[in-house]
Amino acid sequence: MKSNKFIILIVVVITGILIGNVLKTKIDYEEPINIYEIKDINSELRMIKGQLDVNEDIIAELENKAYKLKSNADREEYKKNLEHDLEKIKQMSSSTDVKGEGIIIKMSDSNDEILKNTNFGIVHDIDIINILNELRLYGAEAISVNDVRIVETSTIKCGGPVVRIDNIPKAVPFVIKAIGNKEKLFAGLYETNGYLRILKDVYKVEIEVEAKDEIFIPKRVSWC
Amino acid sequence: MNKKTSIILLIISIVIGIVIGIQIRTISKNQSIKTDEGVLRARELALELKKATEERERQKEEIEKLNNAIQQYEKEHMDTDDTTKFLYSELEYYRKLACLTEVEGKGIIININDSIESERKISSIVDNPEIILRIVSVLNSSGAEAISINEQRMSSYSGIERAGNFLEINGVSITSPITIKAMGDKDTMIPALNIKTGVIDSLRNYHFDVVISEHDSIVIEKIDIINDFKYAESIKKWKAINL
């Protein structure tokens, strides 16, 4: 009888351990992953990879610059480099008058009698803002609206019958000049389904676009 | 052994059998989940994402280090004579104008989140780049001195482009939530944004979650790349010809 009890004891202990083990086993059940989440991760990854490429370029440029600075202990050489940098950055900050090939966009309100009392055929500030955005995307290196240089803080604001560009009132026709690759600018803005097309074909604004070999754009008017 | 003991033993054996069965089943089920292809792919992606993020951090540090080194070199050179000093101060001024320096000051931060109620990504801020252009325009009209969108400084050359599920600014893709930082006078900028039927109103009408906060000190990032001009050429002496 005693050995029998002993066997039962052992069996019970083993059972206890096994049950305990089952309860302990963490089922690290993973959330069911849906297609959206994979898409999200995927797109975030693409985004970061794009940034990595941009950063790579920046690092290469900075390394080059640091190397140059380090190597030209020669003071004259350094001064020359500094002057060269200054010219470049001056141009980048829109502080110089510039010339080059590009396009000229002329926009004016429609004279069509049918559109007389409608909102069609009128140039709004948002139209100009959209066109400026497209010009930048197609690599414009300098932009002016009615000969006011457009910089990052430029304001284009509807002021009733006029549009104020950097607080200078300008009326129709609006002449937007942009320096850059003229074929690319022309094709990008006018030939495809760009904003200008919609303005011309749907909103019936009068638009003329011209690619030119030489355009002059003045320097900025607002300084800080 | 009497009958009673053997019944007890039988019951206990059955229990043990069931328990072992359950154990084996959960383990094998777990493993089958882990080897599921979709999960593997997701895990791979997550890992890649982690690596890429770390790489980005490393690059940021490297850029910072290089920038510091360059500044150090420039200072060393600058101390030598007056013309260099003058050139250097000019350079600093135009760098600031060209958005090549980080700026700090009073300003506001606008956070735009996609609506929580709406179905996944049906209407994202990414689908409405024009509204961001309008916000930037309003900020500029109310005297903002510097603006950045998701850490991308808006320079004279920055456009906003829709590219798939992203917006691209300065060659960098950004996505919702959008954080717009603007340096300037909050008492002008905030009312200008909040005007009735203004931009923020229209965002809220589309159920975007918009929060505007004012800060005594915000830092607005700089542009890192100096443009290469291929078409535009500076004119030293401006002549009033063919304007």
Side-chain angles (χ1 to χ4, degrees):
Chain A
M1 211 50 210
K2 210 178 178 187
S3 77
N4 236 345
K5 263 190 185 163
F6 191 65
I7 290 176
I8 290 181
L9 176 71
I10 290 177
V11 170
V12 166
V13 167
I14 292 176
T15 316
I17 291 174
L18 278 176
I19 292 179
N21 206 15
V22 167
L23 293 180
K24 228 176 75 186
T25 316
K26 248 200 229 141
I27 311 171
D28 58 6
Y29 182 68
E30 297 191 28
E31 287 276 303
I33 293 182
N34 59 32
I35 194 86
Y36 289 115
E37 265 163 77
I38 293 190
K39 250 188 180 165
D40 276 358
I41 299 179
N42 219 341
S43 46
E44 202 182 338
L45 190 64
R46 267 216 328 259
M47 180 179 100
I48 292 181
K49 281 200 169 149
Q51 289 178 353
L52 290 184
D53 287 346
V54 175
N55 283 349
E56 212 55 62
D57 290 348
I58 297 168
I59 288 173
E61 202 175 306
L62 287 178
E63 268 172 350
N64 188 25
K65 200 177 169 192
Y67 175 75
K68 264 192 198 156
L69 272 172
K70 208 171 162 185
S71 57
N72 59 58
D74 182 7
R75 214 179 292 163
E76 286 310 307
E77 182 88 19
Y78 172 72
K79 223 183 273 180
K80 238 193 216 140
N81 269 334
L82 204 59
E83 269 163 10
H84 176 254
D85 270 8
L86 185 58
E87 283 309 312
K88 216 172 162 187
I89 286 170
K90 245 182 170 173
Q91 184 175 345
M92 191 180 162
S93 64
S94 313
S95 310
T96 59
D97 303 319
V98 286
K99 65 173 182 185
E101 65 169 77
I103 63 168
I104 297 180
I105 304 165
K106 274 195 190 116
M107 299 197 290
S108 42
D109 297 345
S110 171
N111 284 324
D112 203 326
E113 279 293 312
I114 305 165
L115 303 172
K116 216 174 164 188
N117 292 319
T118 65
N119 208 10
F120 280 73
I122 296 173
V123 184
H124 294 279
D125 48 1
I126 189 68
D127 299 331
I128 298 178
I129 289 167
N130 269 310
I131 290 167
L132 294 182
N133 189 48
E134 283 197 355
L135 285 170
R136 285 166 174 156
L137 293 177
Y138 285 100
E141 294 177 355
I143 306 171
S144 74
V145 178
N146 287 26
D147 289 321
V148 179
R149 179 74 169 261
I150 301 300
V151 293
E152 76 282 359
T153 51
S154 289
T155 64
I156 289 115
K157 202 77 207 119
C158 189
V162 296
V163 169
R164 289 179 171 272
I165 294 149
D166 272 342
N167 273 330
I168 305 165
K170 296 282 182 183
V172 286
F174 295 107
V175 182
I176 302 177
K177 293 181 186 173
I179 294 179
N181 184 331
K182 60 181 180 186
E183 280 98 21
K184 202 171 146 193
L185 286 172
F186 189 85
L189 269 92
Y190 201 51
E191 282 177 352
T192 55
N193 296 330
Y195 196 82
L196 275 179
R197 270 283 148 206
I198 300 172
L199 267 188
K200 190 183 168 89
D201 296 342
V202 181
Y203 291 94
K204 306 292 178 199
V205 172
E206 306 235 335
I207 288 172
E208 266 175 63
V209 184
E210 230 183 315
K212 283 215 161 182
D213 286 330
E214 195 159 64
I215 292 173
F216 292 86
I217 291 179
K219 62 184 166 211
R220 63 196 290 158
V221 286
S222 59
W223 304 81
C224 70
Chain B
M1 250 198 272
N2 56 21
K3 220 176 172 186
K4 214 174 149 194
T5 344
S6 47
I7 287 175
I8 291 177
L9 272 182
L10 179 70
I11 291 173
I12 290 175
S13 308
I14 289 174
V15 171
I16 292 181
I18 292 173
V19 163
I20 292 177
I22 291 176
Q23 179 84 327
I24 289 172
R25 260 183 74 191
T26 35
I27 287 172
S28 64
K29 204 172 155 194
N30 241 356
Q31 267 164 355
S32 82
I33 286 177
K34 275 176 188 154
T35 50
D36 188 28
E37 207 174 307
V39 179
L40 268 183
R41 177 88 191 105
R43 199 169 274 182
E44 222 172 82
L45 277 174
L47 202 74
E48 227 177 307
L49 185 69
K50 203 180 147 212
K51 260 192 207 157
T53 322
E54 279 168 9
E55 174 69 7
R56 186 175 57 176
E57 285 310 305
R58 194 194 59 75
Q59 282 181 332
K60 260 188 192 156
E61 271 168 33
E62 196 172 337
I63 290 174
E64 197 56 48
K65 230 165 77 187
L66 280 167
N67 269 329
N68 285 341
I70 287 173
Q71 255 176 18
Q72 192 56 37
Y73 289 138
E74 279 177 340
K75 258 192 198 133
E76 274 169 28
H77 282 286
M78 194 182 77
D79 285 336
T80 48
D81 68 278
D82 285 347
T83 27
T84 340
K85 221 179 242 177
F86 172 72
L87 277 175
Y88 193 74
S89 68
E90 283 270 282
L91 195 65
E92 285 295 283
Y93 173 73
Y94 288 111
R95 262 190 188 157
K96 201 175 161 201
L97 267 187
C99 305
L100 289 165
T101 48
E102 216 174 66
V103 288
E104 197 196 341
K106 281 185 183 178
I108 62 170
I109 296 180
I110 309 164
N111 280 307
I112 306 167
N113 254 309
D114 289 350
S115 161
I116 352 157
E117 301 150 42
S118 67
E119 272 298 291
R120 262 192 111 77
K121 310 269 170 180
I122 280 183
S123 173
S124 168
I125 186 73
V126 173
D127 302 321
N128 304 284
E130 191 180 290
I131 231 161
I132 298 182
L133 285 176
R134 280 175 62 200
I135 293 175
V136 170
S137 166
V138 169
L139 289 171
N140 271 333
S141 338
S142 42
E145 285 166 10
I147 299 170
S148 77
I149 301 172
N150 284 25
E151 303 189 353
Q152 290 308 313
R153 176 77 168 269
M154 294 303 283
S155 79
S156 304
Y157 309 94
S158 314
I160 302 176
E161 189 178 26
R162 169 101 197 262
N165 273 335
F166 301 96
L167 293 175
E168 215 171 279
I169 302 175
N170 299 341
V172 174
S173 304
I174 63 164
T175 188
S176 165
I178 300 285
T179 306
I180 303 176
K181 290 195 265 186
M183 219 178 79
D185 177 21
K186 63 176 195 309
D187 296 327
T188 316
M189 291 193 289
I190 293 179
L193 286 166
N194 280 333
I195 194 169
K196 256 187 207 168
T197 70
V199 261
I200 300 300
D201 249 14
S202 56
L203 271 176
R204 288 197 174 127
N205 283 342
Y206 287 117
H207 304 293
F208 284 104
D209 177 25
V210 188
V211 180
I212 303 176
S213 51
E214 35 190 86
H215 298 263
D216 279 337
S217 166
I218 54 171
V219 174
I220 295 190
E221 298 76 10
K222 58 180 186 290
I223 287 275
D224 284 310
I225 291 183
I226 298 177
N227 287 37
D228 259 328
F229 294 101
K230 284 195 194 119
Y231 303 94
E233 181 195 334
S234 288
I235 317 166
K236 288 270 160 63
K237 273 184 192 141
W238 174 253
K239 281 176 248 156
I241 34 169
N242 323 343
L243 243 185

